[in-house]
Amino acid sequence: MASTSYQKLVEHYQSINNFEHLHAICGWDQATMMPSGGSDSRAEAMAELAVHLHALHTAPHLAELFDNVKQEELIPSQQVCIREMFRVWQMKTVLPSELVKAKSLAGAKCEHQWRTQRNENDWHGFIKNFAPVVALSQEEAQIRATASELTPYDAMLDIYEPGMRSAQVDQLFDDMTSWLPQFIQEASQNNNPQIEATYSIPKQAQLAHELMTLLGFNFDHGRLDTSVHPFCGGTSQDTRITTRYDEADFVNAMMGVIHETGHACYEQNLPKAINKLPVGKARSMGIHESQSLFYEMQIARSAEFIALLSQRAAHYFPEYTSVNTTENLQTQLQRVQPSLIRVDADEVTYPAHIILRYDIERDIINGKINATDIPELWDLKMSQLLGISTKGNYKDGCMQDIHWTDGSFGYFPSYTLGAMYAAQFKHAMAKVIDISAHISSGNFTPIYDWLNIHIWQKASTLTTEELLIQATGSALDPHIFQSHLRQRYR
């Protein structure tokens, strides 16, 4: 029997998934294992693979298949599958392969040089590589905007958060800006005791593995390594996460591990029957971030988990038992204190870091400001939101993130949208599960099962709004997040 158009599309996107698997693992290796001398060759190889993937995504026969599949009788699950394939196809076909290759090469060069330039506080060197990335990203955004009838920035935002528009983000963030700076002042604590301690990195790694196992990470399908910037990569079948260790402070590494484990558990528990197809992928980066922030913020910074962490720290670092008491760890993990670095920010000040980046990247992509304006704007917004100046401090200011180096504009709002989603998921979960009791007992299975049923197994079968409504009973309600912060940090 001849294959239907639906079957041919399924086979084609499964083939794409296999090449994306290779691309993801090469990217992980580039950030963790690759010697510096391999950067140029790897950049060329990654660019070549990106072009091949783009060719698969834009294969001429796909248009005919998508046209023919409309005539076939499909069950609802197949219709949803086609919807997601078609969305991916539309997003890929608008870009010429020359632009895809040029952006990949420029991004790889900028990211590689950034690793050295950031340490040297070398903004002038960085901007030489960054300016082409911005120009190519603006070109991409304009092409996408024309095709989708959106603003350039909305067209980029839609890549990471389908259906979300900057008008809605503006409203959410403007509302947050109306109360967050004042709340930061009220909740801020200046007690930051300097404790001299040396935590063995091998023991930190052992503790990290134990926490990952406790939280549901499957080591048969993943691993933990180190990198300059913690991340979760790979695929749902082969999930790679990284962290960075500091001998003077084991807590930050553990929080990084827990954050990335949230990402990883989402990936590892996507429905196996469809995880090689677009419909079987994560719904959005906001939903992805909601899972990492659920793990890190909703669970790991709770009083119950902090008590559990204190117990495990006493096992691995018995010489510092008097230091790593529940009280001391709670002071450290629930301290509100404005700081320079986003990835080290506390739960309350973190949204301010995101609002700053969102405002800048939106105006860059929409052509309202230039890349050369970033340092001055960064300093201004840091002063307004967090009361901190970054004037002349590029490495701890506008050069601290990896996202813009490869042109990932539109990504940053996902972090705070994810925090809002996470708070709403916990609010709904708490109605049917005694979350505190399960954390205290170290039994995360009921929490894990709720997330698996309501979030992970849904993949992209639902829109973000549909997912929220089915899981929590309502669309996004930002007041739940505000209430969560005020309750924990009052």
Side-chain angles (χ1 to χ4, degrees), residues 437-456:
H438 287 304
I439 295 175
S440 294
S441 67
N443 177 20
F444 290 85
T445 300
I447 298 171
Y448 184 97
D449 288 346
W450 191 96
L451 292 171
N452 194 34
I453 292 168
H454 292 90
I455 313 298
W456 302 341

Side-chain angles (χ1 to χ4, degrees), residues 207-254:
L207 175 56
H209 278 73
E210 179 179 334
L211 294 176
M212 289 168 67
T213 301
L214 187 68
L215 292 168
F217 185 87
N218 184 349
F219 279 97
D220 288 337
H221 289 278
R223 57 181 287 147
L224 171 67
D225 293 280
T226 60
S227 67
V228 174
H229 189 100
F231 69 91
C232 176
T235 70
S236 61
Q237 305 89 353
D238 183 2
T239 312
R240 312 295 181 93
I241 73 173
T242 70
T243 192
R244 55 187 175 197
Y245 298 104
D246 180 350
E247 285 189 336
D249 179 10
F250 80 96
V251 174
N252 278 340
M254 295 309 107

Side-chain angles (χ1 to χ4, degrees), residues 26 67 97 365 449:
C26 285
D67 190 50
S97 59
I365 295 301
D449 288 346

Side-chain angles (χ1 to χ4, degrees), residues 104-168:
S104 178
L105 285 170
K109 180 180 180 181
C110 184
E111 189 270 340
H112 180 70
Q113 294 296 326
W114 163 81
R115 295 180 183 276
T116 300
Q117 291 164 343
R118 183 194 173 194
N119 290 334
E120 297 175 350
N121 200 42
D122 183 11
W123 166 259
H124 297 292
F126 175 74
I127 193 65
K128 293 177 183 177
N129 296 322
F130 183 52
V133 174
V134 171
L136 291 166
S137 297
Q138 289 173 328
E139 182 179 351
E140 174 187 351
Q142 189 57 60
I143 291 172
R144 292 189 182 281
T146 301
S148 60
E149 298 183 346
L150 298 171
T151 66
Y153 184 75
D154 280 352
M156 298 297 279
L157 178 62
D158 196 66
I159 297 173
Y160 305 102
E161 197 64 15
M164 184 62 69
R165 300 292 176 258
S166 55
Q168 184 179 358

Side-chain angles (χ1 to χ4, degrees), residues 192-196:
N192 187 15
Q194 297 297 315
I195 300 172
E196 292 188 8

Side-chain angles (χ1 to χ4, degrees), residues 44 98 160 186 360:
E44 292 176 3
E98 296 81 3
Y160 305 102
E186 295 170 357
I360 291 175

Side-chain angles (χ1 to χ4, degrees), residues 51 54 95-105 136 139:
V51 170
H54 184 68
L95 298 181
S97 59
E98 296 81 3
L99 176 59
V100 173
K101 185 172 184 178
K103 188 182 176 188
S104 178
L105 285 170
L136 291 166
E139 182 179 351

